[in-house]
Amino acid sequence: MTNVVLPKNTTIIGESAFLTCSGLKAVSLPDSLIEIGEAAFCWCTNLKSICIPNNVKTIGARAFKSCLKLTSINIPETLTTIRHRTFFECHALTNIVIPGRVKEIESEAFYGCYNLKEVCCKAKIPPIGNLFMFSYGNGCKICVPSESLEAYKSADDWNKYFDCIVGYNLNG
């Protein structure tokens, strides 16, 4: 199985639904989808990209863990929490945009993403973080709204990434 097209009325991808489907390269998700279960795509080592519909409100822990070739993923605007190890060891990810509604980034959410070069966090108030939400020492730049720069640099757990955090203008 290399390509999957889910039916248009699918609302939930269950826990471990595609766990270890190493041949899976592409998945087409319907707009009706609202939930991706825990470990749903964990160890899909050849999955390269996936477009998550904006209706998705929940992505379970470890949903994309060890998707080693995942180069791009969009995080829907409706998401409020990025769960434990959701993108853990997604080695090929280089850029991530974290929507403004995200209120919490759980432990090791992006840990082991060693090629991650830029994280754009749109939230004006720093989400509740975790010391190991990102890997250290890979030269990753964390872009945050300019007016929130000092809040991020002083927020618990975000302050560990002090040297990586830079401000950007939301309007430009």
Side-chain angles (χ1 to χ4, degrees):
M1 176 171 51
T2 59
N3 297 309
V4 171
V5 177
L6 294 177
K8 292 184 189 239
N9 60 349
T10 303
T11 56
I12 297 172
I13 297 173
E15 182 176 330
S16 304
F18 296 95
L19 179 69
T20 67
C21 288
S22 60
L24 188 62
K25 292 181 181 180
V27 179
S28 180
L29 303 176
D31 288 337
S32 58
L33 193 67
I34 58 170
E35 181 179 334
I36 297 173
E38 186 171 322
F41 295 96
C42 185
W43 283 102
C44 290
T45 54
N46 284 301
L47 184 63
K48 291 186 179 186
S49 68
I50 189 165
C51 185
I52 301 173
N54 275 329
N55 293 328
V56 172
K57 293 177 178 56
T58 304
I59 299 176
R62 301 183 323 275
F64 297 96
K65 178 184 179 284
S66 299
C67 289
L68 304 176
K69 293 185 180 176
L70 190 64
T71 57
S72 71
I73 191 156
N74 66 305
I75 299 173
E77 294 291 329
T78 51
L79 209 62
T80 58
T81 301
I82 299 175
R83 300 273 178 225
H84 171 73
R85 291 190 170 185
T86 300
F87 301 102
F88 183 81
E89 292 183 340
C90 290
H91 297 301
L93 279 179
T94 56
N95 298 293
I96 282 288
V97 176
I98 299 173
R101 289 186 181 181
V102 170
K103 304 289 183 230
E104 183 174 5
I105 300 173
E106 292 182 355
S107 65
E108 299 179 335
F110 297 97
Y111 199 79
C113 298
Y114 298 116
N115 290 305
L116 199 56
K117 297 299 175 207
E118 185 173 282
V119 173
C120 178
C121 192
K122 292 184 172 182
K124 290 182 181 180
I125 297 171
I128 296 168
N130 181 282
L131 177 60
F132 298 109
M133 57 189 153
F134 307 108
S135 292
Y136 291 104
N138 61 343
C140 183
K141 178 171 61 170
I142 301 172
C143 303
V144 301
S146 291
E147 69 265 22
S148 305
L149 183 60
E150 292 310 314
Y152 274 87
K153 286 188 171 193
S154 61
D156 286 343
D157 297 320
W158 288 94
N159 58 8
K160 308 301 187 278
Y161 302 95
F162 184 89
D163 293 339
C164 304
I165 299 174
V166 298
Y168 74 92
N169 185 346
L170 280 173
N171 300 322

